[in-house]
Amino acid sequence: GAGVSQSPSNKVTEKGKDVELRCDPISGHTALYWYRQSLGQGLEFLIYFQGNSAPDKSGLPSDRFSAERTGGSVSTLTIQRTQQEDSAVYLCASSLLSSGGGSTDTQYFGPGTRLTVL
Amino acid sequence: KNEVEQSPQNLTAQEGEFITINCSYSVGISALHWLQQHPGGGIVSLFMLSSGKKKHGRLIATINIQEKHSSLHITASHPRDSAVYICAVRSPTSGSRLTFGEGTQLTVNP
C-alpha cells in the first residue's frame, strides 16, 4: 500500500515569500505529525494532529508557522514571510493510534520536503 | 543538557563487526523508538519498545527503564547498514510527541 507522501519534494523560495507544504498520510491513520530537520541538526517536533484537531502545537517556532488538517487526511504546513533560518527538511509522519492511546503508535515517515530560503 | 543523548556521534566499522549505539534519556518515558535515516533522507522506524528487548533480523534493541538507557545492536554489520540511527522518546505527558536524540552516523566499510 501507499506510504506517507509529501509535496513538493524540494522548494526554493525567496525570503519573505509564503510557502505551503503538503502531507498525505497513510489512509486510515488518525494521527499526523510534522517535524523539522535543519542542516546538521536533529529532528524537532512541530505539531501533532489527532483527526482534524491539533492537541499539541507547542513545537511551532513562531506565529509565521501554521498547519491545518482537513477530512482527517491531508495536512498543510504553511510558513508565512519565510526567513533563511526556516531552511530545513520538513518531515511528516502518520500513525494509527490504538484505542488504548498509543501503545502501538509506530510512526511512518514521509520522504520530506527540502525547503531552501534564499 | 539534551533530554535524549546518543553515543557515539559517529561510528566507523568494518563489515562483519558487532555494533552498539547507545541512548540515554533524562525524562520518564512511555516508549522509546529507534529510527534509521538513510543518506537519501528517508526515515524508517526500526523498533518501538517500553521494556525488555526486541529483535528483528540482525538488529536488537534493549531498554533498561531504571537506568534510563537503551542500546541498539547490529550483528554481522554490512555496508548497507550505513545510515544515521536516531533514538527518540515519548513521555506519558506529551501524548504522541517524540523527542529526538542527535543521531549516530554509522559507516560500515567493506
Side-chain angles (χ1 to χ4, degrees):
Chain A
V4 178
S5 61
Q6 292 186 245
S7 60
S9 55
N10 281 283
K11 176 73 176 178
V12 180
T13 190
E14 293 180 346
K15 178 181 171 181
K17 295 284 179 68
D18 297 351
V19 295
E20 284 190 353
L21 311 180
R22 176 186 169 108
C23 171
D24 281 89
I26 292 172
S27 177
H29 280 195
T30 59
L32 185 147
Y33 315 80
W34 282 99
Y35 300 100
R36 179 169 74 171
Q37 187 172 37
S38 303
L39 185 63
Q41 305 283 323
L43 284 152
E44 62 175 319
F45 166 85
L46 297 178
I47 187 169
Y48 155 60
F49 285 93
Q50 178 59 33
N52 291 336
S53 64
D56 187 352
K57 54 180 77 171
S58 61
L60 295 177
S62 76
D63 59 7
R64 297 187 294 104
F65 288 72
S66 62
E68 65 174 14
R69 189 179 184 194
T70 55
S73 179
V74 172
S75 176
T76 303
L77 177 69
T78 301
I79 309 173
Q80 294 179 308
R81 306 180 302 283
T82 52
Q83 303 294 313
Q84 288 183 331
E85 62 262 28
D86 299 335
S87 296
V89 176
Y90 289 81
L91 290 150
C92 174
S94 69
S95 69
L96 180 63
L97 288 180
S98 70
S99 58
S103 61
T104 59
D105 185 14
T106 297
Q107 296 188 19
Y108 297 85
F109 285 79
T113 293
R114 182 176 298 277
L115 174 66
T116 303
V117 182
L118 301 176
Chain B
K1 189 178 188 295
N2 292 335
E3 289 184 348
V4 182
E5 294 200 337
Q6 291 184 232
S7 64
Q9 286 187 315
N10 291 281
L11 180 58
T12 300
Q14 289 300 121
E15 184 173 357
E17 286 184 1
F18 180 85
I19 287 163
T20 296
I21 299 170
N22 296 299
C23 175
S24 296
Y25 52 92
S26 58
V27 296
I29 68 167
S30 53
L32 182 143
H33 296 247
W34 281 102
L35 309 171
Q36 179 190 56
Q37 184 170 32
H38 277 284
I43 294 178
V44 174
S45 180
L46 298 174
F47 295 103
M48 180 180 63
L49 63 166
S50 55
S51 66
K53 174 180 172 178
K54 287 190 176 180
K55 184 175 189 291
H56 185 245
R58 295 180 293 107
L59 302 178
I60 303 166
T62 64
I63 188 168
N64 185 318
I65 297 294
Q66 287 73 31
E67 294 186 3
K68 293 187 166 62
H69 181 270
S70 175
S71 292
L72 176 68
H73 305 285
I74 304 175
T75 62
S77 60
H78 190 276
R80 65 175 175 267
D81 297 327
S82 298
V84 176
Y85 291 84
I86 302 167
C87 171
V89 301
R90 174 159 56 85
S91 80
T93 56
S94 67
S96 288
R97 171 182 183 159
L98 294 178
T99 302
F100 297 87
E102 294 290 320
T104 294
Q105 172 69 61
L106 171 66
T107 303
V108 181
N109 294 318

